[in-house]
Amino acid sequence: MYQSITKKLTLWVAFLSLLLLAGCTGKQEETTVAQSEATTETAKQEVSLDGKWKIYNLRDSLESILIYTNPVDQFDGLLIMLIGAEKTTIASEITINGNTAEYHGAYDMNISFEAYYDTEFKNQNISKEEGLKRYQSYVELLFKKFPDAVGGLSEDKQTLDGTIKNGKVDTQAKTITFTAPIFFAGDIRATTSVLSDKPVTYSYSIENDILTLTLSGNDEIYNLPETIVLQFQKVQE
């Protein structure tokens, strides 16, 4: 009798211990999950707009620009420009400090020219030598016409390396404005106003460590609505 009661009590104690252990384990797991979620949320919130941002998903950004630059019957030209720009881009980055921003871009003139020649000069019986001279002059004049443009063609004219300074950041409106468009090559610029000297304003948003710039409007050539989307990733320093 006594042994039976003792055995039952022992089983109950063991059962209650298991329940207690399971409860503690569950609470520990819930706490761990909650801490992990809180850490992730904090990490999201701590990504500051200040700092350096490097181009992310280059092809997607280029496609959002180039899809509007050629009519349907020049689709082959668009692909040539897209592939050329991917190969030619050396740098594309934004540095933000408080209410100011700078864009730095650089690209290989020779690779860029190959794509430009095939789309612009090849069918005009213009030699590559003459086409290159025209392209270099065109790029240099285009870049220098903007008041906040610093840099330009290298001495050997092999590279364009330039910075657009004095960009304005409006954290209330969530916009970044440059006096010149963000560029990837001499003929690939993130703007709907190809021939305009007006400042270009991009709306921005941040998700995790990705800065997305968006520009919407009607292009000046075909008067069609377009939306350009550029993405930059935060550089951890």
Side-chain angles (χ1 to χ4, degrees):
M1 177 75 174
Y2 178 76
Q3 289 179 344
S4 176
I5 293 173
T6 302
K7 184 182 287 187
K8 289 181 179 178
L9 285 174
T10 302
L11 289 172
W12 270 107
V13 169
F15 179 67
L16 290 173
S17 297
L18 286 172
L19 287 177
L20 182 61
L21 181 61
C24 291
T25 303
K27 287 182 180 179
Q28 287 177 345
E29 289 178 351
E30 289 177 4
T31 302
T32 302
V33 170
Q35 288 176 341
S36 177
E37 290 177 348
T39 302
T40 301
E41 187 61 31
T42 301
K44 288 181 181 179
Q45 294 174 355
E46 288 180 350
V47 176
S48 170
L49 185 61
D50 283 3
K52 182 176 288 187
W53 301 81
K54 190 174 182 179
I55 192 67
Y56 177 76
N57 281 342
L58 175 60
R59 173 169 277 249
D60 288 349
S61 295
L62 292 171
E63 285 179 351
S64 77
I65 299 171
L66 291 173
I67 193 69
Y68 306 103
T69 60
N70 291 67
V72 176
D73 61 352
Q74 292 184 12
F75 185 67
D76 288 344
L78 186 152
L79 291 177
I80 291 171
M81 292 170 71
L82 173 63
I83 294 169
E86 274 192 300
K87 291 180 179 179
T88 194
T89 299
I90 297 171
S92 177
E93 55 198 20
I94 296 174
T95 302
I96 298 172
N97 182 15
N99 294 323
T100 62
E102 288 186 359
Y103 174 74
H104 171 233
Y107 58 91
D108 185 307
M109 285 289 292
N110 289 320
I111 298 176
S112 178
F113 167 69
E114 289 295 326
Y116 189 82
Y117 179 81
D118 285 344
T119 57
E120 300 294 329
F121 293 142
K122 193 171 185 179
N123 295 327
Q124 299 181 31
N125 294 322
I126 295 174
S127 68
K128 280 200 170 184
E129 291 74 15
E130 176 61 23
L132 180 58
K133 290 179 183 178
R134 294 190 189 186
Y135 181 63
Q136 290 169 339
S137 298
Y138 162 71
V139 169
E140 195 161 37
L141 287 171
L142 181 70
F143 187 76
K144 290 297 185 182
K145 81 172 186 176
F146 296 107
D148 294 314
V150 177
L153 289 181
S154 58
E155 188 173 347
D156 60 5
K157 297 189 176 181
Q158 300 298 300
T159 305
L160 184 136
D161 191 317
T163 300
I164 307 298
K165 302 174 75 69
N166 300 321
K168 292 180 171 53
V169 179
D170 186 334
T171 55
Q172 295 297 317
K174 290 191 176 299
T175 59
I176 300 176
T177 301
F178 292 102
T179 56
I182 288 173
F183 61 87
F184 294 95
D187 50 335
I188 302 177
R189 300 177 297 281
T191 175
T192 59
S193 304
V194 179
L195 305 177
S196 175
D197 292 336
K198 295 179 181 178
V200 183
T201 298
Y202 304 90
S203 299
Y204 76 80
S205 63
I206 299 176
E207 184 173 354
N208 298 331
D209 62 344
I210 302 298
L211 172 68
T212 300
L213 303 187
T214 306
L215 176 66
S216 297
N218 282 16
D219 75 270
E220 291 187 343
I221 298 176
Y222 307 111
N223 195 32
L224 296 173
E226 63 175 284
T227 299
I228 295 171
V229 179
L230 313 177
Q231 288 190 315
F232 295 81
Q233 187 171 39
K234 189 69 175 285
V235 176
Q236 301 300 327
E237 298 179 348

